[in-house]
Amino acid sequence: EQPEFSYRQRLKAAVHYTAGCLCEEVASDKEVQFSRQTIAAISELTFRQCENFARDLEMFARHARRSTINTEDVKLLARRNHSLLKYITEKNEEITQCNLER
Amino acid sequence: MEGAIPGFRKELVSKLLHLHFKDDKTRVSGDALHLLAELLKIFVVEAAIRSVRQAQAEDLTQVDVDQLEKVLPQLLLDF
C-alpha cells in the first residue's frame, strides 16, 4: 500500500503546484494575498473534484457504449452551467481548429 | 499574456483521471484531456476569484480559508 500512497501524494503535489501558480496569477491581478492554507485547500478541493469528474466521464462514455472518453463527455460535465458550457464549447472548437491546421 | 498563463498538464490530468476509473479499459482522447485541463483551470480560478470577492466584501486584504468556505457550496453546485 505504501507505493500507491506516495503516487497519490505526488499527484497531489503536482495539483498543488499548478493551483499555486494559478492563485498567484489571481493574487497579482486582484492585488490581494492568499494564505498558504487557502491555496492548500483549493488544491485539495481540485484533487477531489477530479474524482467526481473521472466517475462521471467514465459513466457518460459507457452510456454511449464507448470505452474512450471524448470531448462530448467533457461537455456533458458542464451541462448545468450555461456560461461554463459556452466557454467549454468554444474551447473545443478552438482545439478542433488547431488540429485541422496541423 | 494568454500563452503565459500556467495550466494543468495533459499528463497530470490523465493520471488524475485514471486514479479513479473503475474500469481499467477506460481511455481518454487527447482532445478530451486538453478540454478537461481547461475545465480544471477554470475550477481553480473560480475558487480563487470567488474567495477574493468574499474577502473584499469583508474588507480583508488577505484571503483565508474562511472566505473559501463561504463560497464553496455555490462553487460546487456550479461544477
Side-chain angles (χ1 to χ4, degrees):
Chain A
E1 259 174 55
Q2 198 60 34
E4 199 205 347
F5 180 70
S6 71
Y7 178 65
R8 229 181 130 86
Q9 292 303 109
R10 267 161 52 211
L11 289 185
K12 264 193 193 188
V15 171
H16 190 285
Y17 170 76
T18 310
C21 292
L22 290 170
C23 286
E24 213 52 63
E25 289 278 337
V26 174
S28 65
D29 191 39
K30 304 276 178 193
E31 289 173 356
V32 288
Q33 275 194 315
F34 288 95
S35 70
R36 291 167 62 91
Q37 291 93 324
T38 309
I39 294 175
I42 291 178
S43 3
E44 183 69 33
L45 199 61
T46 310
F47 188 80
R48 291 192 194 187
Q49 192 67 15
C50 282
E51 182 170 351
N52 294 334
F53 287 162
R55 296 256 162 88
D56 282 350
L57 288 170
E58 192 176 38
M59 283 205 169
F60 293 160
R62 194 180 298 174
H63 188 71
R65 297 176 207 285
R66 277 185 276 103
S67 61
T68 303
I69 291 163
N70 64 25
T71 52
E72 287 306 307
D73 301 319
V74 182
K75 275 160 71 180
L76 264 181
L77 270 189
R79 71 194 178 282
R80 278 173 302 199
N81 187 336
H82 284 288
S83 47
L84 183 64
L85 182 60
K86 188 163 167 272
Y87 181 84
I88 289 294
T89 307
E90 282 169 8
K91 270 286 164 197
N92 187 25
E93 279 159 16
E94 234 173 76
I95 293 168
T96 318
Q97 201 61 41
C98 269
N99 288 346
L100 283 178
E101 278 163 25
R102 233 181 271 151
Chain B
M1 190 178 145
E2 267 296 306
I5 295 173
F8 290 91
R9 289 172 57 224
K10 274 167 85 172
E11 294 89 339
L12 174 60
V13 178
S14 171
K15 281 173 185 165
L16 287 168
L17 289 178
H18 280 281
L19 201 60
H20 300 294
F21 287 153
K22 295 243 170 69
D23 191 342
D24 291 336
K25 287 194 288 276
T26 305
R27 296 281 173 272
V28 192
S29 81
D31 285 358
L33 280 180
H34 201 133
L35 208 54
L36 202 62
E38 198 63 41
L39 187 68
L40 283 173
K41 186 167 116 182
I42 300 291
F43 181 77
V44 172
V45 172
E46 274 296 314
I49 288 182
R50 289 181 193 202
S51 321
V52 167
R53 225 181 283 151
Q54 181 62 36
Q56 283 169 343
E58 293 177 36
D59 267 334
L60 302 167
T61 50
Q62 173 163 291
V63 185
D64 223 322
V65 190
D66 295 337
Q67 283 73 50
L68 175 64
E69 268 180 15
K70 286 177 191 164
V71 299
L72 189 55
Q74 190 58 50
L75 178 77
L76 293 181
L77 280 175
D78 287 341
F79 278 85

